[in-house]
Amino acid sequence: MTAAQLSRKTGVPKTTLSEWLSGGNPRDIKKVKIVADELGITVDELCFGPFERKSPLKEMEDEIFAGNFDVILRKAKK
């Protein structure tokens, strides 16, 4: 998608988009949100690039599998 096409779809001026693309800082967060929504990404992804999302369990995997554990089985109460 070109800057002109994105401008038409979002209403954000092409000059504003061009300024952002050349490293300028956005002045209106609402415009950033409109562009992110049109592109189907988050504001964070638009501003900082894609990132890998990790599940909380994946982040704790080393702690979970480290060391020795005692496993106790007992009949569940009804």
Side-chain angles (χ1 to χ4, degrees):
M1 179 182 310
T2 66
Q5 291 169 328
L6 186 58
S7 175
R8 282 193 294 278
K9 288 184 173 193
T10 62
V12 176
K14 183 182 169 191
T15 54
T16 300
L17 296 171
S18 296
E19 184 179 314
W20 294 352
L21 289 169
S22 48
N25 292 324
R27 296 182 188 148
D28 186 349
I29 193 67
K30 291 177 187 175
K31 289 180 182 175
V32 174
K33 175 71 171 134
I34 290 168
V35 170
D37 288 347
E38 178 62 35
L39 296 173
I41 60 175
T42 66
V43 171
D44 280 345
E45 289 170 313
L46 180 62
C47 294
F48 306 110
F51 54 93
E52 182 182 330
R53 293 187 175 120
K54 292 183 179 179
S55 71
L57 286 178
K58 189 71 172 164
E59 291 179 7
M60 296 176 64
E61 193 173 72
D62 289 341
E63 290 180 47
I64 292 170
F65 295 113
N68 297 318
F69 295 90
D70 290 328
V71 177
I72 302 170
L73 298 174
R74 64 180 90 131
K75 188 174 180 178
K77 296 179 183 181
K78 292 185 181 181

